[in-house]
């Protein structure tokens, strides 16, 4: 599989290699787009997870109504974290599948 960092930094090199092999050049752009989606999904997941961790710490020190409100927020956030994780995993799987279609570079 092509190194994603190389693909991001030198897409024209990978396109030229695909062209020289007689393979689909458009696949390079498809992989780059899938990589962007994956990276955005990771950022979203990590941000929600960090928020969840911060919230969990504050629930322990809260009392009464404040604690009840924080627990409700924590439940809602847990569901968002789970959705973001599924989205991240799906994006990674899609990227991996597309990237496997890229051939090694021709020197």
């Amino acid at each position: 599989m092509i190194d994603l960092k190389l693909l991001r930094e030198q897409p024209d090199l990978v396109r030229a290699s695909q062209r020289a092999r007689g393979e689909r050049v458009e696949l390079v752009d498809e992989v780059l787009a899938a990589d962007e989606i994956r990276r955005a999904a990771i950022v979203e997941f990590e941000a929600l997870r960090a928020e969840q961790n911060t919230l969990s710490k504050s629930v322990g020190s809260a009392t009464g109504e404040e604690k009840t409100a924080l627990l409700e927020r924590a439940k809602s956030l847990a569901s968002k974290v789970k959705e973001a994780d599924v989205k991240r995993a799906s994006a990674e799987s899609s990227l991996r599948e597309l990237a496997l279609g890229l051939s090694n570079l021709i020197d």
Side-chain angles (χ1 to χ4, degrees):
M1 182 162 79
I2 297 287
D3 177 39
L4 290 175
K5 183 177 178 186
L6 173 71
L7 181 63
R8 279 185 227 116
E9 293 174 354
Q10 298 182 31
D12 289 334
L13 177 67
V14 181
R15 284 185 192 100
S17 178
Q18 286 290 101
R19 194 173 297 109
R21 288 182 177 277
E23 306 220 356
R24 288 185 46 232
V25 177
E26 302 82 24
L27 185 58
V28 173
D29 294 320
E30 292 170 17
V31 172
L32 287 170
D35 182 45
E36 279 299 314
I37 291 169
R38 178 191 66 92
R39 291 171 74 177
I42 289 171
V43 167
E44 178 185 6
F45 170 73
E46 289 177 350
L48 287 169
R49 191 73 182 116
E51 184 180 347
Q52 186 180 41
N53 288 339
T54 302
L55 184 61
S56 293
K57 290 176 186 174
S58 60
V59 167
S61 62
T63 58
E65 288 183 26
E66 180 186 12
K67 187 169 191 165
T68 304
L70 287 174
L71 287 171
E72 284 299 316
R73 174 76 179 122
K75 277 185 186 179
S76 171
L77 195 54
S79 132
K80 288 180 182 179
V81 168
K82 194 176 285 189
E83 289 172 15
D85 191 32
V86 168
K87 184 177 172 182
R88 177 202 53 78
S90 174
E92 285 181 356
S93 177
S94 295
L95 172 63
R96 201 172 314 119
E97 191 174 309
L98 278 172
L100 287 174
L102 290 175
S103 300
N104 290 331
L105 293 178
I106 293 178
D107 289 333

